[in-house]
Every structure is written in structure tokens, then in C-alpha cells.
């Protein structure tokens, strides 16, 4: 019987060598090297987590939460360093979606 975990661990090692991973890694290094960008990024993450927590608790985010998140998102748009990070995150997300589709294809095929 196959040990699927061996294959997945090998895939994880391969993932760390992809163009998308390396671009994401470089983008994060650049964010951490720029104090202003890092501050905006941390605020963005904090506001996003607060909104997600409200949604998960079955509550609508407050108008103040939405306004604050939108203001921080606008600050993110002004930073080239953060724009590069968002592009790298998008590329990594696309790769992970492709990988997920491949991995779950046998299950999808069962339902056809």
C-alpha cells in the first residue's frame, strides 16, 4: 500500500522550489525590510481577522470595521512593496488551487 504522506511531503519540498513560492518569499522579505509597509500589512491582517471572526460568529461586520478595513486596504494599494506581495500571494494561491484540483480529481470523478 502506498504511503501518501511520503508523496505529499515530497510535493511540499517541490513547492518550496517553485517560482511562485520564491516570489512570495522575496516579497515577504521586502515587506519586513520596509517598516511602513510592514505596519500597514499588520494592520490589514488585524482588521481582516476581526471581520472574519465576526462572520464566523454569525455576525455582520460593523460599519466601523468595514470602514477601517477599507482605509487600510487603500493604504495597501499605495505601497508598491505591498502590491508586489499581493501579486505574489495571488500567484501562489493560483498554484495551490491547481494542485488541489489535481489532488482531488479522483474524488470529483467519483461523483460524475
Amino acid at each position: 500500500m502506498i504511503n501518501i504522506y511520503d508523496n505529499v511531503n515530497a510535493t511540499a519540498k517541490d513547492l518550496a522550489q517553485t517560482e511562485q513560492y520564491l516570489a512570495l518569499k522575496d516579497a515577504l522579505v521586502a515587506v519586513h525590510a520596509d517598516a511602513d509597509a510592514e505596519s500597514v500589512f499588520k494592520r490589514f491582517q488585524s482588521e481582516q481577522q476581526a471581520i472574519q471572526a465576526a462572520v464566523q460568529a454569525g455576525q455582520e461586520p460593523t460599519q466601523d470595521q468595514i470602514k477601517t478595513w477599507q482605509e487600510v486596504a487603500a493604504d495597501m494599494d499605495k505601497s508598491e512593496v505591498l502590491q508586489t506581495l499581493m501579486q505574489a500571494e495571488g500567484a501562489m494561491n493560483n498554484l495551490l488551487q491547481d494542485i488541489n484540483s489535481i489532488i482531488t480529481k479522483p474524488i470529483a470523478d467519483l461523483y460524475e
Side-chain angles (χ1 to χ4, degrees), residues 11-112:
T11 300
K13 287 179 185 176
D14 291 345
L15 181 69
Q17 296 176 35
T18 64
E19 178 182 324
Q20 294 88 339
Y21 176 89
L22 296 173
L24 180 58
K25 182 179 177 182
D26 290 345
L28 282 167
V29 167
V31 168
H32 294 310
D34 182 324
D36 291 335
E38 186 172 39
S39 175
V40 171
F41 184 61
K42 286 182 179 180
R43 284 186 9 241
F44 178 81
Q45 287 180 310
S46 176
E47 295 302 327
Q48 189 175 34
Q49 288 172 352
I51 289 173
Q52 286 175 343
V55 170
Q56 288 177 349
Q59 303 169 349
E60 290 287 325
T62 67
Q63 289 299 318
D64 286 340
Q65 285 176 312
I66 293 170
K67 181 182 176 196
T68 301
W69 184 80
Q70 289 172 336
E71 290 169 355
V72 176
D75 289 343
M76 294 219 13
D77 287 341
K78 297 175 189 172
S79 170
E80 187 176 318
V81 172
L82 292 172
Q83 285 302 307
T84 299
L85 175 63
M86 295 296 108
Q87 290 170 356
E89 285 183 347
M92 178 57 76
N93 187 48
N94 289 339
L95 176 61
L96 291 173
Q97 286 178 354
D98 290 346
I99 291 168
N100 188 53
S101 292
I102 293 165
I103 290 172
T104 58
K105 185 175 183 336
I107 297 167
D109 289 348
L110 287 174
Y111 287 92
E112 286 187 358

